[in-house]
Amino acid sequence: MKKKAIIMDENAIRRAVTRITYEILERNHGAYQLCIVGILSRGVILAERIAKKIEELEHVQVDFGALDITPYRDDRTAGTRENVQTTIDFPVQDKCVVIVDDVLYTGRSCRAAIDAILALGRPQCMQLAVLIDRGHRELPIRPDYTGKNVPTAQTEIVQVFVREIDGEDFAAIYQK
């Protein structure tokens, strides 16, 4: 793969996470009954940053969890067993669950995340926050909070890098 362009640097990612956090708090009238769930792996890092920002702004610690969508994917082979890494140690029943992912593309990962959350209980509502929306949806899924819209070609790949996993924060487009 050949790097085509950097679309977000560290400062742009920080600003987007801050803006998304403010939008979540505004739409939900604060942090009451709110929980933040990140899709493995980079969605978890972004979700954790949002949860920390909420705590900083509202002085309330919201429930935070990591969601492994592998068992709920529609492209997995039947009968395969996975080591599921979901860590949601709180009830989702009657809460507003904000699902966080790094890149929204076809919508299939988000559909799997919705199924995984519903398997845990019936939340009051579910909302979707993504750092980058690149279009090309195959399912009727739309984010409630978006860091950046980036129109892309089908032949391109958008990848987010985070300090906690990759050593630095940035997002880039690559040509296949």
PDB file of all heavy atoms in Angstrom, residues 1-5 153-158 172-176:
ATOM      1  N   MET A   1       0.836  -1.186   0.000  1.00  0.00           N
ATOM      2  CA  MET A   1       0.000   0.000   0.000  1.00  0.00           C
ATOM      3  C   MET A   1       0.877   1.244   0.000  1.00  0.00           C
ATOM      4  O   MET A   1       1.891   1.297   0.664  1.00  0.00           O
ATOM      5  CB  MET A   1      -0.868   0.041   1.259  1.00  0.00           C
ATOM      6  CG  MET A   1      -1.982  -0.941   1.278  1.00  0.00           C
ATOM      7  SD  MET A   1      -3.133  -0.690   2.663  1.00  0.00           S
ATOM      8  CE  MET A   1      -2.081  -0.522   4.062  1.00  0.00           C
ATOM      9  N   LYS A   2       0.422   2.221  -0.741  1.00  0.00           N
ATOM     10  CA  LYS A   2       1.165   3.479  -0.847  1.00  0.00           C
ATOM     11  C   LYS A   2       0.369   4.579  -0.146  1.00  0.00           C
ATOM     12  O   LYS A   2      -0.818   4.777  -0.401  1.00  0.00           O
ATOM     13  CB  LYS A   2       1.339   3.823  -2.326  1.00  0.00           C
ATOM     14  CG  LYS A   2       2.061   5.118  -2.557  1.00  0.00           C
ATOM     15  CD  LYS A   2       2.112   5.441  -4.040  1.00  0.00           C
ATOM     16  CE  LYS A   2       2.648   6.850  -4.204  1.00  0.00           C
ATOM     17  NZ  LYS A   2       2.383   7.393  -5.510  1.00  0.00           N
ATOM     18  N   LYS A   3       1.043   5.299   0.784  1.00  0.00           N
ATOM     19  CA  LYS A   3       0.371   6.392   1.493  1.00  0.00           C
ATOM     20  C   LYS A   3       0.081   7.507   0.509  1.00  0.00           C
ATOM     21  O   LYS A   3       0.956   7.991  -0.181  1.00  0.00           O
ATOM     22  CB  LYS A   3       1.238   6.923   2.635  1.00  0.00           C
ATOM     23  CG  LYS A   3       0.484   7.927   3.508  1.00  0.00           C
ATOM     24  CD  LYS A   3       1.334   8.595   4.556  1.00  0.00           C
ATOM     25  CE  LYS A   3       1.861   7.643   5.561  1.00  0.00           C
ATOM     26  NZ  LYS A   3       2.643   8.289   6.624  1.00  0.00           N
ATOM     27  N   LYS A   4      -1.193   7.890   0.459  1.00  0.00           N
ATOM     28  CA  LYS A   4      -1.636   8.925  -0.465  1.00  0.00           C
ATOM     29  C   LYS A   4      -1.669  10.298   0.205  1.00  0.00           C
ATOM     30  O   LYS A   4      -1.220  11.279  -0.367  1.00  0.00           O
ATOM     31  CB  LYS A   4      -3.023   8.544  -0.984  1.00  0.00           C
ATOM     32  CG  LYS A   4      -3.494   9.300  -2.170  1.00  0.00           C
ATOM     33  CD  LYS A   4      -4.770   8.690  -2.700  1.00  0.00           C
ATOM     34  CE  LYS A   4      -5.342   9.563  -3.777  1.00  0.00           C
ATOM     35  NZ  LYS A   4      -6.628   9.075  -4.241  1.00  0.00           N
ATOM     36  N   ALA A   5      -2.194  10.341   1.445  1.00  0.00           N
ATOM     37  CA  ALA A   5      -2.302  11.628   2.149  1.00  0.00           C
ATOM     38  C   ALA A   5      -2.591  11.405   3.621  1.00  0.00           C
ATOM     39  O   ALA A   5      -3.285  10.461   3.984  1.00  0.00           O
ATOM     40  CB  ALA A   5      -3.422  12.469   1.550  1.00  0.00           C
ATOM     41  N   ALA A 153     -12.404   6.802  -2.643  1.00  0.00           N
ATOM     42  CA  ALA A 153     -12.683   5.841  -3.718  1.00  0.00           C
ATOM     43  C   ALA A 153     -12.701   4.444  -3.095  1.00  0.00           C
ATOM     44  O   ALA A 153     -12.103   4.218  -2.037  1.00  0.00           O
ATOM     45  CB  ALA A 153     -11.597   5.923  -4.787  1.00  0.00           C
ATOM     46  N   GLN A 154     -13.356   3.524  -3.767  1.00  0.00           N
ATOM     47  CA  GLN A 154     -13.391   2.128  -3.292  1.00  0.00           C
ATOM     48  C   GLN A 154     -11.996   1.524  -3.243  1.00  0.00           C
ATOM     49  O   GLN A 154     -11.747   0.596  -2.487  1.00  0.00           O
ATOM     50  CB  GLN A 154     -14.286   1.279  -4.200  1.00  0.00           C
ATOM     51  CG  GLN A 154     -15.744   1.651  -4.126  1.00  0.00           C
ATOM     52  CD  GLN A 154     -16.483   0.995  -2.968  1.00  0.00           C
ATOM     53  OE1 GLN A 154     -15.881   0.542  -2.007  1.00  0.00           O
ATOM     54  NE2 GLN A 154     -17.790   0.970  -3.069  1.00  0.00           N
ATOM     55  N   THR A 155     -11.089   2.041  -4.047  1.00  0.00           N
ATOM     56  CA  THR A 155      -9.737   1.489  -4.105  1.00  0.00           C
ATOM     57  C   THR A 155      -8.817   2.047  -3.026  1.00  0.00           C
ATOM     58  O   THR A 155      -7.642   1.691  -2.975  1.00  0.00           O
ATOM     59  CB  THR A 155      -9.097   1.774  -5.482  1.00  0.00           C
ATOM     60  OG1 THR A 155      -9.071   3.192  -5.684  1.00  0.00           O
ATOM     61  CG2 THR A 155      -9.871   1.096  -6.588  1.00  0.00           C
ATOM     62  N   GLU A 156      -9.349   2.913  -2.172  1.00  0.00           N
ATOM     63  CA  GLU A 156      -8.537   3.515  -1.118  1.00  0.00           C
ATOM     64  C   GLU A 156      -8.856   2.874   0.233  1.00  0.00           C
ATOM     65  O   GLU A 156      -9.934   2.326   0.435  1.00  0.00           O
ATOM     66  CB  GLU A 156      -8.787   5.026  -1.051  1.00  0.00           C
ATOM     67  CG  GLU A 156      -8.341   5.751  -2.297  1.00  0.00           C
ATOM     68  CD  GLU A 156      -8.743   7.205  -2.321  1.00  0.00           C
ATOM     69  OE1 GLU A 156      -9.838   7.538  -1.811  1.00  0.00           O
ATOM     70  OE2 GLU A 156      -7.976   8.012  -2.859  1.00  0.00           O
ATOM     71  N   ILE A 157      -7.904   2.973   1.123  1.00  0.00           N
ATOM     72  CA  ILE A 157      -8.054   2.485   2.492  1.00  0.00           C
ATOM     73  C   ILE A 157      -7.788   3.660   3.422  1.00  0.00           C
ATOM     74  O   ILE A 157      -6.821   4.397   3.229  1.00  0.00           O
ATOM     75  CB  ILE A 157      -7.058   1.345   2.785  1.00  0.00           C
ATOM     76  CG1 ILE A 157      -7.370   0.133   1.905  1.00  0.00           C
ATOM     77  CG2 ILE A 157      -7.075   0.967   4.266  1.00  0.00           C
ATOM     78  CD1 ILE A 157      -6.330  -0.955   1.963  1.00  0.00           C
ATOM     79  N   VAL A 158      -8.649   3.834   4.429  1.00  0.00           N
ATOM     80  CA  VAL A 158      -8.431   4.856   5.445  1.00  0.00           C
ATOM     81  C   VAL A 158      -8.019   4.135   6.712  1.00  0.00           C
ATOM     82  O   VAL A 158      -8.686   3.194   7.151  1.00  0.00           O
ATOM     83  CB  VAL A 158      -9.710   5.689   5.694  1.00  0.00           C
ATOM     84  CG1 VAL A 158      -9.497   6.655   6.843  1.00  0.00           C
ATOM     85  CG2 VAL A 158     -10.106   6.442   4.436  1.00  0.00           C
ATOM     86  N   ALA A 172      -4.623   8.434   7.816  1.00  0.00           N
ATOM     87  CA  ALA A 172      -4.101   8.564   6.444  1.00  0.00           C
ATOM     88  C   ALA A 172      -4.942   7.746   5.473  1.00  0.00           C
ATOM     89  O   ALA A 172      -5.615   6.795   5.850  1.00  0.00           O
ATOM     90  CB  ALA A 172      -2.652   8.094   6.400  1.00  0.00           C
ATOM     91  N   ILE A 173      -4.872   8.165   4.213  1.00  0.00           N
ATOM     92  CA  ILE A 173      -5.477   7.426   3.096  1.00  0.00           C
ATOM     93  C   ILE A 173      -4.343   6.709   2.375  1.00  0.00           C
ATOM     94  O   ILE A 173      -3.301   7.301   2.080  1.00  0.00           O
ATOM     95  CB  ILE A 173      -6.208   8.357   2.123  1.00  0.00           C
ATOM     96  CG1 ILE A 173      -7.389   9.036   2.806  1.00  0.00           C
ATOM     97  CG2 ILE A 173      -6.688   7.574   0.905  1.00  0.00           C
ATOM     98  CD1 ILE A 173      -8.154   9.991   1.910  1.00  0.00           C
ATOM     99  N   TYR A 174      -4.588   5.451   2.065  1.00  0.00           N
ATOM    100  CA  TYR A 174      -3.630   4.645   1.317  1.00  0.00           C
ATOM    101  C   TYR A 174      -4.297   4.150   0.039  1.00  0.00           C
ATOM    102  O   TYR A 174      -5.496   3.893   0.008  1.00  0.00           O
ATOM    103  CB  TYR A 174      -3.197   3.435   2.140  1.00  0.00           C
ATOM    104  CG  TYR A 174      -2.403   3.787   3.361  1.00  0.00           C
ATOM    105  CD1 TYR A 174      -3.020   4.100   4.559  1.00  0.00           C
ATOM    106  CD2 TYR A 174      -1.002   3.841   3.313  1.00  0.00           C
ATOM    107  CE1 TYR A 174      -2.287   4.439   5.674  1.00  0.00           C
ATOM    108  CE2 TYR A 174      -0.260   4.186   4.422  1.00  0.00           C
ATOM    109  CZ  TYR A 174      -0.910   4.485   5.603  1.00  0.00           C
ATOM    110  OH  TYR A 174      -0.183   4.834   6.711  1.00  0.00           O
ATOM    111  N   GLN A 175      -3.501   3.996  -0.990  1.00  0.00           N
ATOM    112  CA  GLN A 175      -3.966   3.426  -2.250  1.00  0.00           C
ATOM    113  C   GLN A 175      -3.683   1.932  -2.194  1.00  0.00           C
ATOM    114  O   GLN A 175      -2.584   1.529  -1.841  1.00  0.00           O
ATOM    115  CB  GLN A 175      -3.225   4.076  -3.430  1.00  0.00           C
ATOM    116  CG  GLN A 175      -3.785   3.719  -4.769  1.00  0.00           C
ATOM    117  CD  GLN A 175      -5.188   4.263  -4.986  1.00  0.00           C
ATOM    118  OE1 GLN A 175      -5.489   5.406  -4.678  1.00  0.00           O
ATOM    119  NE2 GLN A 175      -6.061   3.426  -5.513  1.00  0.00           N
ATOM    120  N   LYS A 176      -4.689   1.122  -2.524  1.00  0.00           N
ATOM    121  CA  LYS A 176      -4.514  -0.342  -2.524  1.00  0.00           C
ATOM    122  C   LYS A 176      -3.503  -0.765  -3.555  1.00  0.00           C
ATOM    123  O   LYS A 176      -3.345  -0.185  -4.579  1.00  0.00           O
ATOM    124  CB  LYS A 176      -5.832  -1.055  -2.815  1.00  0.00           C
ATOM    125  CG  LYS A 176      -6.790  -1.030  -1.649  1.00  0.00           C
ATOM    126  CD  LYS A 176      -8.006  -1.862  -2.001  1.00  0.00           C
ATOM    127  CE  LYS A 176      -9.069  -1.746  -0.948  1.00  0.00           C
ATOM    128  NZ  LYS A 176     -10.265  -2.495  -1.264  1.00  0.00           N
TER     129      LYS A 176
END
